[in-house]
Amino acid sequence: MKPAVTLCIDGVPLTVPAGTTLLQAARQKGSDIPTLCFDPLLEPEGVCRLCCVAVTGMHGLVSACSTPVSEGMEVHTESAAVKENQRFILQSVLRNFGRVGHDDPARPAYETLCSMARNAGMSAQEVAALAQGEAHYLTGHDPLLAIAPDRCIQCNRCFNYCEHLHGFHPSGIVDMGGERQLSFAMGMPLAEGQCDHCGNCIEHCPTGALVEKWKVTRGAPDYEAPSICTYCGTGCAIQVQVKDGVPLGAHPDFSDTSVNQGQLCVKGRFGLDFVSHPERLTVPLLRTRPGHTRDCFREVSWHEALDHVAGEFSQIRALDGGDKLAVLSSARVSNEENYLAQKLARAVFHTNNVDNCARICHAPSVVGLTAAFGSGAATNSLDEIDGADCIMLIGANPTEAHPVIGHKIKHAVLHNHAKLVVIDPRRIWLAGIADVHLELRAGTNIALLNGLLRVLIEENRLNERFIAERTRGFEETRERVMADYDLARVEAITGVDAALIRQAARLYAAARNGMIIYGLGITQHTHGSSNVMACANLALATGHIGRPHSGVSPLRGQNNVQGACDVGALPNVLPGYQKTDDPAALERFSAYWKVPMPVTSGLKSCQMIHGAKNGQVKGMYIIAEDPVQTDPDTHLVEQALSNLDCLVVQEMFFTRTASFADVILPAACALEKEGTFTNTDRRVQHFMPVVAAPEGCRTDMDIICELASRMGYPMHYDKPAQVWDELADLSPILSGVRYARLYAGEQLVWPCRTTDATGDRVLHENTFAHGKGVFHALEFAAPEESVDAAYPYLLTTGRRLEHYCNGSMTRKTEGLLGLYPHERVEINPQDAAGLGLQETDLVWVGSRRGRIQVPCHLTQRCPPGTVFMSFHFAETPVNELTGSYYDPMSITPEYKVTAVSLAKA
Amino acid sequence: MKPLPASFLTGRPKIVGSPRLYDYYRSYPFSALRKARNMTAEGIVAELLASGLRGRGGASFPVGLKWQSVMQQAETVRYVVANGEEGEPGTYKDRVLLEQNPLAVIEALVIAGCTVKAERGYIYLNQNYRAIEKALLQLLQWLREEGRLRCVEGAGAFDIQVRRGRQRYISGEETALFRALEGRRAEPTGRPPYPTEQGLWGKPTVINNIETLASVSLIIERGDSWFAAIGPEHNHGPKLFSLSGDVARPDVIEADMSATLADLIGWAGGTVGTFKGAFVSGPSGRLFLPRDLSLPLTIQNGCGNGTVIVFNDTRCAVDLARQVTDFFHSEHCGQCLPGRESMKQAKALMDGLENQAALEPVLQHYQQLHAVLLNSSKCGLCSSGTGIVPALMQAFPADFARHLRHDCPICRAGAEVAA
Ligand SMILES: Cc1cc2nc3c(=O)[nH]c(=O)nc-3n(C[C@H](O)[C@H](O)[C@H](O)COP(=O)(O)O)c2cc1C
Ligand code: SF4
Ligand code: SF4
Ligand code: SF4
Ligand code: FES
């Protein structure tokens, strides 16, 4: 406790801890001191001088935001000199402001300034008279942000906040005196590589000088409405800004209970143009002739389309059996819709052939974490990242793929003294602030993780008590690790210096709270499930699990990966992870749905594709997915889809997959419907429609119900809440979550079994879901693909900050496309020199399956021997290169290791 | 005319740039340092307090109190800094002092370092003081080699670094100077915390003017009572004055603070032409008029850093006011809102003078700017730069009236010469 100081503010005595500023003390007392440059998150800059107050015995005024209290101080916040100073400052600001029209993006800030001016004693007329001349926003030097130099008061809150949030320095201060200005306000672009265009700085500008460019070019929004961002599994709460029925952008939710607490990333804030894009599908399309162009289809009525689909599917069901049908549901549609999709498969098609795209990303998490901990989900909430004192980040690049989680990690490291260990073949941004970066050879995770465990064992850094009381299987694991994973061998396999491995293990073991956060660099491997178990081993060995800030958290890629799995859009589990071979569960579902339940085991998505190729699947219903672009080995997928008797694709756009369909059904997007999504930390979040769907589009829920009914199983729900109730009634882990509670703003995570519980944010606190935590003795095996003389480089794939998935949404936003217009293959300059490549040269990238042409980008982010590409661009379809190798336990494909050749084009 | 008092700080041959630097180094007695070695830190501070020495950089803060305050800080990493920015127009006393007796400053900085237990000292110089920098670096090298850069010979690590600034008036302001040393923009940071609490690199820091430090060496060498005996009550010790403008022999004059303006002008060979006024402590200081010639240049009368710029009756007050306004307009840092806005308005007032109907509103506006700045600006630069212009308006309304009538022969002639 700091010693207390007693002072007097406007005659009222007050006792506060030493070190409190006058501003804090005054606000505590209820005095309203106006401020502009002060920002509660930042060190006081003390430059606007609006907060100046008088202190008895002091010459002049002092700035309240930066002056600490001292004993016996007598502070006056309302004296004549104080008011006079406020008037001078506000007059100056308002005089520079220019006229403020109705549509002016700075209108809210202007109104605040005016009310401050009136409080300082100016009349409304005086205030109004100050605004003269035109304000001018510079819109030419940044694709997404605009700034009005005359309105900028040079408080630098914007870019100081950026430094606080990101550790970036995107803009500097240039010149001095009357010419002093922010470089950005002088028309200089933001420093390349130092601005993510998250737009979070905008919220910190007190004058509205810095705004989203669309607010200048399109004008102020008519209204805003809440929703949930759909660009990744973080689940940021947003306020969508709508003008003339068109969503133009989003603001973050600022509440402390939200996931994102006032932050967003570039996609979430700016990437909404796709909603109103002219290429949206708005009429059902029926194939008239073979081919992959739009003119191979004719527009039909919903009636005709649905009848056609129902007819085709019914016929297959009748002639070949339900198991010849398959539903590929989507991690991009709501929980309710996923529930209905699996119900359609199970109750209407009579098959367990239902899966969702989690298969190609996080199915190994479900397998691996369930094996180790008894539950396949993240063990902790995202809020707990801040507070962990060691974060081990493995195979994830959150600053691009999950930027708001990236912010949380940055905050923990930059402001909360967390140690950071990064395990990744690439020098991702966070590696730059890491304490240790283990730059392993792609695909050697198990060896490395075993090596880390080996250090813990060798150096006696185990949590013996935890191992004894709460786990089993350690001995076998210990033997395996001690027998085969001495650090010399680990170093030889992984290419990581043994000393660094030791250092990393020590940091993790020494932490009070250690958190493992991993991404697709763990799962998208032929040993994905084992990789996950290897992570779990480390947590079990150190006891870093089952407490706040300690655990193992996968970062879910798509917005509803978690939810799609939770509600049973998986071949082997029913809603709520009830097993498809559990007779009691089957009984209950059968009774509720009033149909016999399918008993044959279902196909996983990649098996569906193979099944389509070999005739095991004849009809497929794909909801909001684009496997042609996003699944590995594109040629195989294309052959498979072409081989189907009936392919139905439900989509917003004419994607590559849609071009293979027999029927394309135009769907509404998340902003046009009601439902819930479950984010990566198991939080069930509700959303309402923000705008009306384009005439002709229908919600996925609507379409599924119509289809079921036409296939002889009447399915009718008035609203998503009814679907939810059914699903919650049938799923014990979700039964406490109800719409009424979500409407009331409650933040609920599963497991949540009763309506008075808010769910377990931390899993496995006293016991694991299946009793004891299980160690797995794991053996490293080299990836299926290995480099040789013909294919000497390793290609690894992933996401870009500005884009998402197949690009169908982000590439419809001009600003995002402007930031990252086309794909580039990242190559280490050393490799490039050997190949005679210069920046932007075209390169042939070839694998054992195909070759594509793409410009190159030379960067140290890739170590020599490794190249990197994203899969967002149909023009450079990287999955034509990737292979069809799968993790045997989860049937998740290998995306991270492909041997390739490079040649100058 | 009073006789010129004896010199203690100056009066030696210029040693910087001369080939005899090594001789100077060898023959320098280091008497102060030797004495200081046998004194406690408390003893040194007591001596400084008793001497009555106040800072010579302009703000006249008691030196002993400043050092004492640093000694009392809990933080043990501390710095000592010599401020040789000397960016104020007409100020060049520190340059002369450094050219003649650089070791006095180094000696005092070592004493300061020992007293407040700093590990590192810095000497920050005006950009143009290239030759001085060279000499200082050489002297420091010799001292280092002989292990003499410390109080107790051979003991603990203390070192002094020399830096040259970027010819910015604002970088003489102590907090801006720290930022410049740290490699950041030379812009003032708020007070509190004071430099004695969080100065350079956020650590407790003693910062003193060059002349102040040279005076410290004198006090330690000759004793506090010797020092206190010089000059009037509350204004002890020898003081350097930089005389410039319309005087016959512009020079740095060492006197004490009983010297009147007339004395100083006399020692500088008298006014060239008829005395019209003087800026005492430079353009950021106070306007002295003929009636003030007999005022002693004490701290209370505003001697400040001791700069005296004399002008005669061939000068137009409007021209002077414009020069002062332009100087501060281009030299203020621009970070704080009242500073930036006031300087903009002040410049607009002076640039647009000829379009005004009467002087009174201009005067009032300028005074209001000055008042706002005194109240709320972040540092002292802009407020000190807006004080003298209203004084010029009040003292020489006729000059301003000529400009309102578009009829100033002096400025027109000046403009013709310039063209
Ligand atoms: C705008 C401004 C410029 C200054 N320039 C100088 C300078 O050039 N040299 C100097 O010694 N002090 C200068 N000062 C005063 C310093 O801030 C500081 O008070 C001084 O270095 C302390 O030393 P002293 O106590 O020995 O005088 C300046 C102050 C202001 C506000
Ligand atoms: S948009 Fe984001 S990254 Fe760019 S300057 Fe603003 S806060 Fe920084
Ligand atoms: S743009 Fe806004 S936040 Fe940034 S410095 Fe200017 S006024 Fe401050
Ligand atoms: S008063 Fe002037 S020089 Fe000082 S901080 Fe403000 S603008 Fe800068
Ligand atoms: S809010 Fe205190 S100076 Fe700006």
Side-chain angles (χ1 to χ4, degrees):
Chain A
M1 257 299 272
K2 291 203 171 151
V5 170
T6 300
L7 74 163
C8 194
I9 298 180
D10 296 331
V12 180
L14 195 71
T15 303
V16 294
T20 309
T21 62
L22 294 182
L23 182 66
Q24 287 164 331
R27 290 198 169 157
Q28 194 175 319
K29 173 194 157 279
S31 301
D32 179 27
I33 299 178
T35 62
L36 286 173
C37 71
F38 174 74
D39 191 310
L41 290 174
L42 305 173
E43 290 290 310
E45 193 87 343
V47 291
C48 75
R49 316 306 289 175
L50 182 62
C51 68
C52 283
V53 293
V55 174
T56 306
M58 273 199 178
H59 289 299
L61 307 175
V62 301
S63 53
C65 66
S66 58
T67 305
V69 295
S70 59
E71 188 60 40
M73 232 181 194
E74 284 175 39
V75 182
H76 311 279
T77 69
E78 306 266 342
S79 76
V82 169
K83 292 284 170 191
E84 155 132 27
N85 178 57
Q86 290 173 1
R87 284 196 295 274
F88 179 85
I89 287 170
L90 291 164
Q91 272 164 1
S92 304
V93 175
L94 289 168
R95 208 175 281 131
N96 295 338
F97 219 85
R99 273 187 295 275
V100 179
H102 172 71
D103 238 12
D104 196 300
R107 175 118 226 141
Y110 177 72
E111 274 157 16
T112 311
L113 288 167
C114 291
S115 86
M116 285 177 175
R118 286 192 301 274
N119 288 342
M122 288 168 69
S123 71
Q125 291 88 319
E126 277 175 283
V127 175
L130 287 168
Q132 304 223 335
E134 290 307 319
H136 177 61
Y137 279 90
L138 304 179
T139 53
H141 61 311
D142 192 89
L144 295 171
L145 307 180
I147 190 165
D150 293 333
R151 289 177 177 176
C152 170
I153 60 160
Q154 301 180 35
C155 64
N156 216 14
R157 272 173 75 177
C158 46
F159 297 115
N160 284 343
Y161 178 69
C162 181
E163 179 173 359
H164 170 86
L165 177 71
H166 291 295
F168 293 167
H169 304 276
S171 170
I173 292 203
V174 185
D175 226 319
M176 63 183 289
E179 271 73 60
R180 186 185 191 273
Q181 208 21 304
L182 265 61
S183 62
F184 188 61
M186 286 178 158
M188 298 183 208
L190 294 167
E192 194 173 341
Q194 291 270 297
C195 171
D196 279 355
H197 284 90
C198 66
N200 291 316
C201 45
I202 293 170
E203 322 280 0
H204 290 258
C205 176
T207 61
L210 184 65
V211 294
E212 295 92 339
K213 189 162 129 181
W214 63 259
K215 286 191 185 157
V216 180
T217 53
R218 307 284 294 268
D222 303 330
Y223 67 90
E224 62 174 23
S227 192
I228 302 295
C229 177
T230 58
Y231 276 122
C232 75
T234 310
C236 293
I238 54 177
Q239 290 286 345
V240 182
Q241 309 293 311
V242 184
K243 188 182 182 78
D244 303 328
V246 176
L248 293 174
H251 292 171
D253 186 323
F254 287 92
S255 65
D256 284 344
T257 52
S258 66
V259 176
N260 43 322
Q261 297 166 347
Q263 296 171 13
L264 278 182
C265 80
V266 62
K267 296 180 287 284
R269 190 185 294 270
F270 296 106
L272 297 180
D273 291 1
F274 72 91
V275 178
S276 57
H277 199 275
E279 284 172 24
R280 273 291 288 273
L281 299 172
T282 52
V283 190
L285 299 174
L286 189 65
R287 178 173 292 284
T288 53
R289 60 185 170 87
H292 301 294
T293 49
R294 191 65 196 257
D295 55 11
C296 302
F297 296 84
R298 82 182 155 86
E299 299 191 346
V300 295
S301 69
W302 272 102
H303 189 68
E304 184 178 350
L306 288 168
D307 273 353
H308 181 89
V309 174
E312 293 279 323
F313 283 168
S314 302
Q315 193 179 350
I316 297 172
R317 180 179 62 181
L319 296 181
D320 304 299
D323 283 339
K324 295 278 178 193
L325 291 172
V327 178
L328 182 53
S329 188
S330 174
R332 299 160 81 167
V333 306
S334 71
N335 288 327
E336 293 73 10
E337 290 161 341
N338 271 294
Y339 171 80
L340 294 178
Q342 64 86 36
K343 184 173 178 184
L344 177 76
R346 295 190 162 111
V348 186
F349 292 0
H350 303 303
T351 178
N352 275 318
N353 292 344
V354 56
D355 206 357
N356 75 82
C357 46
R359 184 61 50 203
I360 61 172
C361 57
H362 270 293
S365 295
V366 178
V367 172
L369 295 179
T370 306
F373 304 146
S375 160
T379 59
N380 299 71
S381 67
L382 295 172
D383 291 344
E384 293 168 51
I385 293 175
D386 219 352
D389 44 18
C390 178
I391 297 168
M392 196 179 272
L393 181 74
I394 315 180
N397 185 12
T399 57
E400 296 202 46
H402 301 82
V404 169
I405 295 178
H407 301 165
K408 290 180 196 279
I409 297 176
K410 284 178 178 181
H411 192 272
V413 175
L414 298 175
H415 304 292
N416 251 343
H417 310 294
K419 301 281 182 217
L420 177 64
V421 175
V422 169
I423 302 183
D424 202 295
R426 289 199 303 149
R427 289 169 207 159
I428 56 170
W429 193 92
L430 284 171
I433 59 165
D435 295 272
V436 190
H437 177 201
L438 307 182
E439 239 174 272
L440 82 173
R441 230 168 255 139
T444 60
N445 296 291
I446 293 188
L448 185 61
L449 294 168
N450 275 350
L452 290 166
L453 187 56
R454 166 98 178 200
V455 176
L456 300 180
I457 297 171
E458 272 179 10
E459 298 188 357
N460 258 330
R461 294 174 189 270
L462 300 169
N463 186 336
E464 306 276 2
R465 187 159 158 209
F466 188 88
I467 294 175
E469 289 175 4
R470 295 208 41 198
T471 72
R472 59 191 163 82
F474 181 61
E475 268 321 303
E476 197 192 328
T477 305
R478 177 210 290 270
E479 277 160 29
R480 174 77 52 88
V481 167
M482 293 312 287
D484 298 333
Y485 293 91
D486 60 278
L487 289 199
R489 174 163 181 249
V490 171
E491 182 173 324
I493 298 174
T494 60
V496 180
D497 186 348
L500 290 178
I501 301 178
R502 280 194 192 280
Q503 207 185 332
R506 287 172 192 160
L507 284 176
Y508 180 63
R512 264 178 302 120
N513 301 307
M515 216 172 196
I516 294 178
I517 298 174
Y518 70 82
L520 302 182
I522 278 288
T523 56
Q524 287 181 339
H525 283 293
T526 44
H527 321 290
S529 301
S530 303
N531 283 341
V532 173
M533 294 177 206
C535 295
N537 280 350
L538 290 179
L540 291 172
T542 49
H544 284 326
I545 181 125
R547 279 175 290 119
H549 314 292
S550 291
V552 180
S553 293
L555 297 182
R556 306 299 176 143
Q558 299 195 347
N559 56 311
N560 204 27
V561 173
Q562 184 67 54
C565 297
D566 299 343
V567 301
L570 292 174
N572 55 342
V573 291
L574 299 167
Y577 298 102
Q578 302 171 80
K579 296 264 161 44
T580 46
D581 53 10
D582 170 1
L586 289 174
E587 183 81 15
R588 272 194 301 128
F589 277 88
S590 178
Y592 208 115
W593 291 349
K594 305 195 176 62
V595 284
M597 294 294 285
V599 286
T600 43
S601 60
L603 297 176
K604 305 194 165 91
S605 73
C606 307
Q607 294 166 328
M608 293 176 191
I609 300 287
H610 285 275
K613 196 176 165 208
N614 63 26
Q616 198 186 341
V617 173
K618 292 194 165 175
M620 204 165 161
Y621 182 27
I622 299 182
I623 302 173
E625 283 304 322
D626 187 8
V628 175
Q629 192 176 334
T630 59
D631 276 21
D633 201 347
T634 309
H635 295 302
L636 177 117
V637 181
E638 288 178 347
Q639 282 171 16
L641 297 184
S642 312
N643 199 33
L644 287 165
D645 290 351
C646 178
L647 173 62
V648 179
V649 175
Q650 205 151 293
E651 248 303 346
M652 291 165 58
F653 294 102
F654 191 75
T655 60
R656 281 185 76 184
T657 300
S659 76
F660 285 81
D662 298 294
V663 183
I664 306 174
L665 302 175
C669 73
L671 295 185
E672 297 155 356
K673 63 191 179 190
E674 184 184 5
T676 58
F677 290 135
T678 306
N679 80 340
T680 194
D681 69 0
R682 298 175 271 111
R683 199 188 291 229
V684 180
Q685 307 200 89
H686 174 254
F687 55 90
M688 290 291 279
V690 169
V691 290
E695 184 87 29
C697 292
R698 296 175 75 166
T699 64
D700 299 285
M701 166 171 152
D702 218 19
I703 304 170
I704 296 169
C705 289
E706 280 289 344
L707 191 56
S709 305
R710 280 165 207 251
M711 287 180 72
Y713 183 89
M715 213 187 250
H716 179 78
Y717 301 90
D718 288 335
K719 43 187 194 288
Q722 289 177 346
V723 183
W724 180 271
D725 279 338
E726 175 175 326
L727 124 81
D729 286 346
L730 285 166
S731 316
I733 57 167
L734 294 169
S735 56
V737 180
R738 296 291 159 162
Y739 263 50
R741 301 184 68 189
L742 298 173
Y743 282 138
E746 281 194 80
Q747 298 285 333
L748 303 175
V749 301
W750 70 258
C752 178
R753 294 168 201 277
T754 57
T755 48
D756 51 8
T758 54
D760 302 344
R761 297 214 156 203
V762 180
L763 295 184
H764 319 304
E765 275 195 291
N766 300 312
T767 164
F768 288 96
H770 57 357
K772 295 211 167 186
V774 181
F775 279 95
H776 291 89
L778 301 164
E779 198 67 84
F780 166 74
E784 297 293 330
E785 285 261 314
S786 54
V787 295
D788 58 18
Y791 299 101
Y793 299 93
L794 278 184
L795 166 72
T796 179
T797 66
R799 287 170 68 165
R800 303 265 176 216
L801 172 66
E802 296 82 1
H803 292 286
Y804 179 61
C805 209
N806 62 354
S808 68
M809 291 148 74
T810 49
R811 295 184 61 193
K812 306 243 160 28
T813 298
E814 203 183 310
L816 294 178
L817 205 55
L819 289 171
Y820 198 85
H822 57 77
E823 185 51 8
R824 307 180 298 181
V825 56
E826 292 182 4
I827 304 178
N828 186 281
Q830 197 180 312
D831 291 339
L835 292 159
L837 291 174
Q838 310 238 325
E839 182 74 21
T840 71
D841 278 354
L842 276 179
V843 191
W844 281 110
V845 184
S847 80
R848 297 177 176 117
R849 282 153 298 275
R851 64 174 201 162
I852 59 175
Q853 207 181 43
V854 53
C856 70
H857 171 51
L858 312 191
T859 169
Q860 295 289 355
R861 293 209 325 168
C862 278
T866 300
V867 299
F868 174 84
M869 273 184 76
S870 82
F871 57 98
H872 306 302
F873 293 83
E875 300 79 356
T876 45
V878 70
N879 284 323
E880 297 196 356
L881 308 177
T882 51
S884 324
Y885 304 110
Y886 299 96
D887 171 28
M889 289 188 251
S890 61
I891 318 296
T892 293
E894 171 74 82
Y895 282 97
K896 298 294 184 190
V897 188
T898 305
V900 293
S901 61
L902 300 175
K904 193 167 170 173
Chain B
M1 195 168 65
K2 267 205 305 205
L4 183 62
S7 301
F8 304 97
L9 294 163
T10 53
R12 297 158 194 255
K14 182 172 157 183
I15 197 70
V16 164
S18 101
R20 293 193 320 283
L21 189 68
Y22 189 68
D23 298 341
Y24 160 75
Y25 169 69
R26 278 275 79 107
S27 59
Y28 190 82
F30 291 102
S31 338
L33 195 52
R34 270 178 232 278
K35 267 180 87 176
R37 287 200 177 115
N38 299 318
M39 295 168 75
T40 61
E42 289 71 24
I44 291 172
V45 166
E47 188 121 359
L48 291 178
L49 286 171
S51 75
L53 172 63
R54 286 164 174 266
R56 306 301 200 214
S60 307
F61 189 81
V63 177
L65 286 182
K66 193 181 273 188
W67 292 27
Q68 195 170 46
S69 159
V70 171
M71 285 162 63
Q72 286 161 354
Q73 299 299 314
E75 169 64 55
T76 54
V77 176
R78 298 158 185 184
Y79 296 100
V80 290
V81 178
N83 187 346
E85 163 54 32
E86 242 188 0
E88 175 111 24
T91 312
Y92 54 107
K93 62 176 178 91
D94 293 340
R95 189 192 82 214
V96 168
L97 194 159
L98 283 166
E99 283 171 348
Q100 296 181 356
N101 198 8
L103 281 169
V105 176
I106 293 179
E107 194 179 14
L109 208 52
V110 176
I111 294 172
C114 302
T115 309
V116 304
K117 309 223 166 18
E119 274 188 15
R120 171 71 48 93
Y122 290 88
I123 302 176
Y124 187 89
L125 296 174
N126 186 294
Q127 186 173 35
N128 296 323
Y129 297 179
R130 223 177 269 270
I132 294 174
E133 175 186 48
K134 210 170 144 208
L136 284 171
L137 288 173
Q138 178 64 74
L139 291 166
L140 286 167
Q141 188 54 33
W142 287 328
L143 284 163
R144 230 174 259 137
E145 279 163 10
E146 296 185 4
R148 296 168 74 181
L149 252 186
R150 49 200 62 160
C151 276
V152 183
E153 244 162 279
F158 178 76
D159 198 25
I160 294 175
Q161 306 246 326
V162 184
R163 296 272 188 282
R164 251 178 331 114
R166 292 225 2 230
Q167 185 68 354
R168 287 293 189 206
Y169 179 37
I170 189 66
S171 46
E173 197 281 335
E174 52 200 13
T175 59
L177 188 152
F178 297 146
R179 303 296 87 82
L181 280 178
E182 292 163 2
R184 301 206 266 154
R185 285 178 68 80
E187 289 183 348
T189 38
R191 254 168 306 213
Y194 291 92
T196 50
E197 300 157 351
Q198 291 174 34
L200 184 60
W201 306 112
K203 305 295 183 192
T205 305
V206 164
I207 178 164
N208 278 123
N209 172 256
I210 295 289
E211 180 190 348
T212 313
L213 288 167
S215 306
V216 167
S217 289
L218 280 179
I219 292 166
I220 301 298
E221 183 190 338
R222 296 172 181 242
D224 52 45
S225 32
W226 169 81
F227 190 88
I230 299 171
E233 187 77 55
H234 304 307
N235 289 272
H236 305 286
K239 173 82 193 92
L240 300 181
F241 294 93
S242 316
L243 273 281
S244 66
D246 297 325
V247 290
R249 289 192 305 274
D251 203 353
V252 169
I253 292 172
E254 181 171 341
D256 61 59
M257 287 178 268
S258 65
T260 63
L261 180 58
D263 291 337
L264 289 166
I265 292 175
W267 291 323
T271 310
V272 176
T274 308
F275 178 84
K276 181 168 178 176
F279 296 160
V280 171
S281 198
S284 69
R286 197 180 138 181
L287 177 64
F288 273 49
L289 297 171
R291 61 168 187 259
D292 306 316
L293 277 166
S294 57
L295 280 182
L297 264 63
T298 58
I299 293 167
Q300 296 69 30
N301 285 337
C303 86
N305 58 15
T307 299
V308 178
I309 304 174
V310 176
F311 51 94
N312 64 23
D313 64 357
T314 69
R315 311 284 170 183
C316 170
V318 176
D319 184 40
L320 293 172
R322 284 195 164 137
Q323 286 188 36
V324 171
T325 305
D326 285 354
F327 175 76
F328 286 100
H329 180 262
S330 63
E331 287 298 316
H332 78 294
C333 78
Q335 67 165 322
C336 85
L337 207 148
R340 192 170 64 238
E341 286 299 322
S342 300
M343 294 320 298
K344 195 162 86 180
Q345 292 182 28
K347 177 144 170 64
L349 279 178
M350 292 316 295
D351 287 352
L353 188 67
E354 277 79 0
N355 305 329
Q356 299 294 330
L359 182 59
E360 191 52 31
V362 179
L363 172 62
Q364 275 176 14
H365 190 160
Y366 216 117
Q367 279 173 326
Q368 190 217 350
L369 297 177
H370 183 56
V372 165
L373 288 165
L374 279 178
N375 262 339
S376 71
S377 62
K378 188 167 177 179
C379 81
L381 187 147
C382 291
S383 58
S384 65
T386 46
I388 225 158
V389 171
L392 285 167
M393 291 180 190
Q394 283 167 313
F396 307 107
D399 292 18
F400 285 84
R402 282 203 308 275
H403 275 262
L404 294 180
R405 293 196 310 271
H406 300 262
D407 176 28
C408 177
I410 303 174
C411 293
R412 198 177 328 120
E416 274 157 21
V417 170

